[in-house]
Amino acid sequence: MKKKTKDYLKFINAYIYQDDEMFCVNSDTALLGMFMNFPKSKTVLDIGTNNGALLIYANRFSPMLLVGIDIFDEALEIAKENLLMNDIKAELYNSRLEDFRHETFDVIICNPPFFKEENKRYNYYKEVAMFEGELSLDVLLYNIKRLLKDNGSAYLIYPANRFLEFTLGCEKYGFKLMEIQFVFDSNKEVASRFLVKLKKGKMTSAKILKPVFIKDGKIQIDNL
């Protein structure tokens, strides 16, 4: 595989290596990376860690433990290099989500595959990262529940046109939607994505945050 030069992670002082053949960071990565917000000294799992970008964003909160899982050894090799370059310690596992066994976590983060229709224009690495053939929403939520501590939090990004389906899945597995933030592209009339913080435990109060706007590829929000 051909490696690209270093790329900058938006909003934080960090660089990573990426591979042309694999899924590369985009605005979804930066949005989720900056949306997560949790106390220090927590245990954190990144599902589908790929090149480790979200682990690097999560390291801002001085976690007790960072863990990343991915089904591709090649992705984990790049993640290992990126974490070392940024002086970050993490445990990396080559595993399908369904097969992964570990003590439960305080925080889970995931930028999941969420397109339903596969597109053969992409290679297998990108198909797995983008299309939910290998990881459906139902399987994802079931395993987040399995791996998350009681009163733990999960942070995800998902297409806005699947919001109802997502909320029904959360209801099925007993998750509470604690924070929701919709993402709007200036070229579209409706929201394209939503960021969400889920809680496994009793409901307190839900917050609908100010929306994020993307204009000419640039993320615009008050607190970014």
Side-chain angles (χ1 to χ4, degrees), residues 38-180:
F38 51 87
K40 292 183 178 180
S41 302
K42 298 297 183 182
T43 57
V44 181
L45 170 66
D46 178 18
I47 297 172
T49 199
N50 190 31
N51 54 34
L54 288 175
L55 290 175
I56 296 171
Y57 278 105
N59 191 61
R60 295 179 297 135
F61 303 103
S62 303
M64 179 188 303
L65 174 68
L66 283 173
V67 175
I69 64 170
D70 202 285
I71 66 171
F72 294 123
D73 274 324
E74 299 92 333
L76 293 175
E77 286 301 314
I78 297 174
K80 186 183 300 183
E81 186 173 2
N82 287 332
L83 292 166
L84 181 62
M85 181 169 63
N86 288 280
D87 195 26
I88 295 172
K89 293 182 179 180
E91 297 178 7
L92 300 176
Y93 296 93
N94 176 223
S95 176
R96 298 176 66 86
L97 177 58
E98 303 95 307
D99 302 327
F100 183 62
R101 298 292 180 269
H102 198 282
E103 293 182 0
T104 51
F105 295 86
D106 298 302
V107 176
I108 293 178
I109 53 179
C110 184
N111 180 5
F114 48 56
F115 294 112
K116 288 192 172 185
E117 299 296 328
E118 293 189 5
N119 189 326
K120 296 305 180 183
R121 293 182 305 159
Y122 300 101
N123 62 33
Y124 185 57
Y125 296 114
K126 292 183 179 178
E127 283 183 3
V128 170
M130 297 170 65
F131 301 96
E132 62 177 17
E134 294 286 342
L135 181 61
S136 68
L137 176 60
D138 189 76
V139 171
L140 174 63
L141 292 175
Y142 170 82
N143 283 280
I144 290 177
K145 180 178 181 180
R146 177 176 67 85
L147 292 165
L148 191 63
K149 291 180 180 179
D150 289 340
N151 293 313
S153 300
Y155 296 85
L156 300 96
I157 187 167
Y158 220 68
N161 62 5
R162 297 184 66 182
F163 182 74
L164 179 58
E165 179 186 354
F166 186 90
T167 56
L168 290 173
C170 290
E171 183 178 1
K172 176 181 178 180
Y173 290 108
F175 289 115
K176 310 301 187 296
L177 278 66
M178 302 303 298
E179 294 182 5
I180 303 166

Side-chain angles (χ1 to χ4, degrees), residues 174-188:
F175 289 115
K176 310 301 187 296
L177 278 66
M178 302 303 298
E179 294 182 5
I180 303 166
Q181 188 170 40
F182 286 94
V183 181
F184 290 83
D185 191 305
S186 61
N187 297 321
K188 298 179 181 179

